[in-house]
Amino acid sequence: MEPRARAGKNVGKETFNRKEVSSLLYAYGDVEEPLPDTIRVLDEIVTEFLDGVCFEASRHAQVAGRQKLKFDDFEFALRRNPQYLGRVRSMIEKRQEIKEARQGFNEDETAVAKDHAKDTAPATAAASRDDDLNDLDEDEDLDYLNVVSSSKGTGSKKRKKAPK
């Protein structure tokens, strides 16, 4: 469906949040509380623009034989406006930089975690064994463990109690 035919569907309906649109207008120099008609018109303009760009991008993807959109499709749709095209390209570059930084960060974090695990593993295991042994009140806890473990079974075999 052509973008012009689709634009008729959205007339009177707001796509974006009124508060966000009024904040955007205020950021660009409008009054703090803009007129409702101003918000409605800006909403329609932005919606129509985004519909047109997405339609062109989807048409390019369809011609290329793909069902999913890529950034290249949006570059193609915005090729006639150098300002928009430059902004999209800078966003793609930043996205790639962030992706590489995250990948490097995850690799560094994994290496640090492995080194830390190697350094602390023997000490941690020994400390946990000592804590477990210190926590046992020898006679009472061992008797309790023997009673509990014998009651869980089928009842045919009784376990020996620990010597006192």
Side-chain angles (χ1 to χ4, degrees), residues 98-114:
I98 291 170
K99 185 178 178 181
E100 290 171 359
R102 282 184 182 159
Q103 190 175 24
F105 181 72
N106 288 340
E107 289 173 2
D108 292 344
E109 187 177 274
T110 306
V112 168
K114 285 181 181 178

Side-chain angles (χ1 to χ4, degrees), residues 86-99:
R87 181 70 179 139
V88 168
R89 285 187 177 155
S90 69
M91 288 174 61
I92 291 171
E93 289 172 5
K94 283 186 179 185
R95 182 174 177 255
Q96 185 65 28
E97 289 173 12
I98 291 170
K99 185 178 178 181

